[in-house]
Amino acid sequence: MFFSAAIRRRPEFRAGIRDMSSAALGIGAWGLMTGVAMVKSNMSVLESVAMTLLVYAGSSQLAAIPLLFAGAPAWVILATGFCVNLRFVVFSLHLRPYLMHMPRWRRMTHGYLTADLSYALFTRRYASPPVGADEQKAQEAYLTGNYFVTWCSWMGMSLLGIALANFIPQNWGLGFAGVLSLVAIVCSMATTPLRVLAALIASVTAVAAYALPLKLNIVVAIGAAVLLCFWLEKQFGLDPDAEDNK
Amino acid sequence: MSGTTDFWTLAVIAGLACVTVLTRCFFFILDRPWGLPEWAHRALHYAPAAALAGVIAPEIVMTQGHLITTLHDARLYAAVVGAAYYYWRRGVLGTMLAGMAVYLPLHLGLGW
């Protein structure tokens, strides 16, 4: 955590800040639009601030907004948030050997604050887990500096977006920028032909099954896409392990 | 313009925060090493993109619960241009800006 002076004093902390700062603008802009999108879809300022400060996950926030607005049941919203966040489950498997020497609360704090870009930069700089106490501290300081920038720019700009949203007329439709950032995230996840197909099947299913109660169309869409892709995987005789690396 | 605060929404927000912690820390919450069952491992390939696509598709092609029947809708073109930009250049920021550059003139100028 960046509250610890012992971490802040290390040069790796500053290196982490430096490496991440070039991305801060993009993260900030996305945070700004997420802030605007929350208020524009009828969340109260208190709810928007709480979501920004607590959830700290842009794509699952943006996915939850229309579901909240439509009055979907809690479990559907949480299940959708979980599915949108599934990539982090894979990241956590990768990060495990880097963090396991720490006590649980400490590694969980690091885990909570490590978003996509921090994970990418950290694992690019340190291809293997730390050996020895000094290396452990160095890596921890770099990771901390890294997500310190992400956290500050995301939080600052999201809160700014919440503050400014009420001064922007509703009919400008700026909340649509949130949907567009999700389009980018879907594209970044659809890295193989079958994953593109999964996204397409889910889109069509979610629209076709829209009349289902409780927003179950999202759940049906995920189920249909995953099952159909399982089946196609078998038909084409694809190797799941090889697909992993794409 | 902004809605009222209600307890249910705040509870869901707290739940989503737990989902963030759970997913980001999934494999290092417990001390004992463990893995996912095979089917869950394979579902990871498809579920994330499917979940997001399932959420956003109705936001793009539906109005008030009905499939749009007109092509005079700014959202369609903005989404297509945004996706095209992503495959051309990558980056969330650029996708958003390119899409909004199409959306705003059509939406505000032509009322689509």
Side-chain angles (χ1 to χ4, degrees):
Chain A
M1 263 191 310
F2 36 81
F3 300 115
S4 156
I7 284 180
R8 283 202 309 268
R9 271 197 298 271
R10 294 193 69 98
E12 289 86 1
F13 180 73
R14 285 188 297 280
I17 289 180
R18 207 171 41 240
D19 288 356
M20 185 54 91
S21 50
S22 59
L25 191 67
I27 294 166
W30 191 23
L32 183 77
M33 290 325 302
T34 306
V36 172
M38 285 191 288
V39 177
K40 283 292 166 202
S41 57
N42 246 14
M43 286 174 75
S44 73
V45 171
L46 178 68
E47 288 165 356
S48 307
V49 170
M51 194 183 237
T52 300
L53 293 178
L54 296 175
V55 182
Y56 187 49
S59 49
S60 79
Q61 280 173 233
L62 287 168
I65 292 168
L67 299 180
L68 276 171
F69 183 58
W75 73 269
V76 172
I77 302 178
L78 297 183
T80 305
F82 187 82
C83 287
V84 168
N85 267 352
L86 272 174
R87 64 190 186 282
F88 293 121
V89 171
V90 181
F91 298 168
S92 79
L93 184 60
H94 188 177
L95 286 175
R96 184 182 156 89
Y98 291 85
L99 300 175
M100 276 316 281
H101 60 274
M102 301 174 195
R104 178 178 288 124
W105 68 268
R106 198 176 176 97
R107 60 186 196 243
M108 284 185 67
T109 309
H110 287 308
Y112 168 64
L113 292 168
T114 301
D116 306 71
L117 267 178
S118 304
Y119 163 78
L121 281 186
F122 175 73
T123 51
R124 193 170 66 193
R125 180 171 166 127
Y126 297 105
S128 54
V131 182
D134 191 60
E135 219 171 288
Q136 285 175 353
K137 290 211 182 66
Q139 292 198 3
E140 189 179 4
Y142 182 81
L143 181 66
T144 307
N146 223 314
Y147 66 60
F148 176 66
V149 176
T150 316
W151 193 87
C152 289
S153 55
W154 177 265
M155 288 300 168
M157 295 301 278
S158 288
L159 294 176
L160 188 68
I162 292 169
L164 294 180
N166 274 326
F167 299 103
I168 302 171
Q170 181 79 38
N171 65 10
W172 287 9
L174 282 192
F176 193 68
V179 174
L180 287 170
S181 27
L182 291 186
V183 168
I185 304 285
V186 173
C187 293
S188 74
M189 288 171 171
T191 48
T192 67
L194 268 186
R195 285 181 208 176
V196 174
L197 190 65
L200 290 176
I201 295 167
S203 305
V204 173
T205 313
V207 171
Y210 196 79
L212 284 177
L214 308 177
K215 280 276 163 187
L216 284 173
N217 63 324
I218 310 286
V219 181
V220 172
I222 298 168
V226 169
L227 289 178
L228 209 70
C229 286
F230 273 11
W231 183 74
L232 285 171
E233 211 178 53
K234 277 246 162 56
Q235 294 298 304
F236 295 130
L238 293 173
D239 176 14
D241 290 327
E243 293 289 298
D244 256 349
N245 301 322
K246 286 178 190 165
Chain B
M1 189 105 44
S2 58
T4 48
T5 305
D6 75 289
F7 178 75
W8 181 79
T9 308
L10 289 177
V12 172
I13 287 169
L16 280 171
C18 296
V19 167
T20 304
V21 174
L22 180 70
T23 49
R24 292 219 173 118
C25 303
F26 204 81
F27 282 107
F28 46 80
I29 294 173
L30 299 176
D31 288 310
R32 231 169 341 130
W34 63 296
L36 282 175
E38 179 57 26
W39 64 268
H41 199 66
R42 284 171 54 209
L44 277 178
H45 297 303
Y46 309 115
L52 264 188
V55 168
I56 61 173
E59 297 288 312
I60 295 170
V61 300
M62 298 180 92
T63 304
Q64 317 218 306
H66 294 284
L67 194 62
I68 51 172
T69 49
T70 167
L71 288 176
H72 290 185
D73 195 307
R75 294 174 298 171
L76 300 176
Y77 304 98
V80 169
V81 169
Y85 180 92
Y86 184 85
Y87 283 112
W88 180 46
R89 280 288 154 93
R90 313 278 135 178
V92 175
L93 179 62
T95 303
M96 203 167 72
L97 293 179
M100 287 312 271
V102 172
Y103 178 79
L104 286 178
L106 290 178
H107 182 65
L108 294 176
L110 298 174
W112 286 10

